[in-house]
Amino acid sequence: MLDVRLFLNMPIPLSQRLSLIKPSLTMAVEARAKALKKAGIDIIGFGAGEPDFDTPDFIKEAAVRAIRDGFTRYTPVGGMDELKEAVCFRFKTDLGLEYQPQEVVVGCGGKHVLYNIAQALWGPGDEVLVPAPCWVSYPPLILLAGATPILLPTREENGFKLTPEELAAAVTERTRALILNSPSNPTGAVYDREELEALGRVILEKDLLVVSDDIYDKILFDGRSFVNLAQLGPEYRARTLVVNGVSKSYAMTGWRIGFLAGPPEIIDAVNTIQSHSTSNPNSIAQKAAVAALTGPQDFVPQMVAELNRRRNYIVDRLNALPGIRVRPPAGAFYIFPDFSAYFGRIFREPDVKDSLKLADYLLEKAQIAVVPGAAFGADSCLRFSYTVPLDLIEKGLKRLEKALSRL
Ligand SMILES: Cc1ncc(COP(=O)(O)O)c(C=O)c1O
């Protein structure tokens, strides 16, 4: 590769903004695991934040049809009407939430939609509340907007859920919004209606805007049904930005379609940002997303049933490890056990004292990839994705047991 620095007399100056953030640690773990696999090392990857299922055929067919029909040009910036209508149809059918297409904007994945929200709404001096442990990308996308993420630590004994008292105590005159993510990445925590109502009273009293990141809304276990803040009534709907997408529910992570439903003035603001960055999301993926949202939904419960089988297995096996106690996650496809009992206690590995070092140790010695809890603001934990077939989970956990038993 040509080194451009040979032609420059100065270091390439990078933006000051960039110094605020680091590359996503979850993506780094995935990339490292993939590189080792490519080098012929038999790595079992518990790092991926995506379903291991294939996108259903009828969705792929819709994309093939779109290409054949020449649906290969720009669409409106915020997505074509047909897709916005499909989004409204799903909100109405699944959640009883009425939205009009002008209250919806489609972006290149949920992450892009969240980025655009941050760019459109927040800036220097603004604080955005984020219950932690939290998804890796919330703090960086708030920082990139020039605002300050305020991490609100939640407690394991509260199921990693924010309490109304904790929320009330965190609000200042600079608070611009709260991000809620249920089911949660990385903890799998799910807020039930009563818990949301209790938070909702504080949200109304403090006049907060809420970003409800519902990307895992269809991945729930033990008969739970999904509820978000907007469903609690019109006064809540008016202050909630509902973010979702097709990535997780329909095994479509690579297609990059996410969406937002919310107040039209915010939709317009997001559209303006998008009009000068990506323009419309991929036209072919939009057609596929229409098929996903309006077609047969039986793929979703089938995938959830398989994830549930894996969840139950991994919970039992982890709980059989000395020093580990983990509750079954209520949703999503992650489990987030506390491994601090092993810090500094692994035979001949006294330096393995934090989640980064333990994840490195497990990658090297057990050939399993997990994400260090530090990436999510909880250094005592490790995140395992159970987006791996059951036989590999079994094999991976055997390796984990062996690597940890050298105490
Ligand atoms: C909590 C959370 N929100 C949003 C996203 C974004 O997903 P996508 O950009 O694929 O729609 C992810 C993906 O990992 C996530 O875990």
Side-chain angles (χ1 to χ4, degrees), residues 49 108-112 114 135 138 181 185 213 215-216 245 247-248 253 256-258 334:
C108 310
K111 189 183 275 188
H112 181 224
L114 288 161
W135 181 45
Y138 295 138
N181 172 220
N185 174 6
D213 180 351
I215 198 86
Y216 298 99
S247 285
K248 318 286 177 172
T253 44
R256 311 310 301 131
I257 295 289
Y334 308 106

Side-chain angles (χ1 to χ4, degrees), residues 30-43:
E30 245 331 79
R32 212 169 142 210
K34 277 193 179 136
L36 288 170
K37 269 190 204 164
K38 212 169 156 196
I41 300 168
D42 168 32
I43 300 289

Side-chain angles (χ1 to χ4, degrees), residues 172-376:
T172 71
E173 73 279 5
R174 287 187 297 279
T175 306
R176 292 293 310 275
L178 163 71
I179 299 183
L180 283 179
N181 172 220
S182 167
S184 150
N185 174 6
T187 65
V190 174
Y191 289 85
D192 64 25
R193 181 174 283 270
E194 288 72 42
E195 288 162 340
L196 276 185
E197 279 168 352
L199 285 179
R201 284 190 278 279
V202 180
I203 287 163
L204 287 188
E205 189 196 308
K206 304 280 184 186
D207 200 18
L208 295 179
L209 196 70
V210 174
V211 176
S212 183
D213 180 351
D214 300 353
I215 198 86
Y216 298 99
D217 67 337
K218 297 205 166 35
I219 305 174
L220 289 167
F221 307 116
D222 306 322
R224 284 181 184 80
S225 47
F226 177 76
V227 58
N228 70 18
L229 195 78
Q231 288 170 276
L232 300 185
E235 68 278 36
Y236 293 102
R237 185 190 177 286
R239 62 180 64 246
T240 305
L241 309 186
V242 181
V243 176
N244 210 322
V246 295
S247 285
K248 318 286 177 172
S249 303
Y250 303 99
M252 290 178 72
T253 44
W255 299 75
R256 311 310 301 131
I257 295 289
F259 39 84
L260 158 67
E265 58 273 38
I266 293 180
I267 299 299
D268 288 350
V270 165
N271 243 306
T272 302
I273 300 279
Q274 194 159 300
S275 71
H276 291 297
S277 49
T278 57
S279 298
N280 63 274
N282 178 296
S283 61
I284 298 148
Q286 287 191 61
K287 282 283 188 188
V290 170
L293 297 171
T294 58
Q297 299 293 298
D298 43 342
F299 166 79
V300 185
Q302 283 163 18
M303 175 177 71
V304 174
E306 175 57 21
L307 290 173
N308 185 39
R309 236 160 52 92
R310 298 174 185 177
R311 174 194 73 139
N312 294 340
Y313 179 80
I314 204 167
V315 166
D316 288 348
R317 285 291 293 269
L318 287 172
N319 277 332
L321 286 171
I324 304 293
R325 282 251 60 76
V326 67
R327 290 193 238 180
F333 38 65
Y334 308 106
I335 189 158
F336 200 57
D338 185 325
F339 269 82
S340 55
Y342 290 89
F343 291 173
R345 295 193 53 219
I346 299 173
F347 182 56
R348 291 209 185 122
E349 303 284 346
D351 286 348
V352 178
K353 276 196 187 133
D354 58 35
S355 64
L356 284 155
K357 295 234 170 67
L358 182 56
D360 270 351
Y361 170 78
L362 292 175
L363 189 60
E364 208 185 294
K365 295 283 179 348
Q367 274 111 44
I368 63 170
V370 296
V371 185
F376 311 94

Side-chain angles (χ1 to χ4, degrees), residues 378-405:
D379 197 25
S380 54
C381 298
L382 294 178
R383 191 193 77 174
F384 293 69
S385 301
Y386 38 97
T387 51
V388 185
L390 204 52
D391 56 327
L392 284 184
I393 295 183
E394 202 179 332
K395 198 166 150 193
L397 292 183
K398 253 192 211 132
R399 291 184 187 179
L400 173 75
E401 276 161 14
K402 201 163 153 225
L404 294 179
S405 67

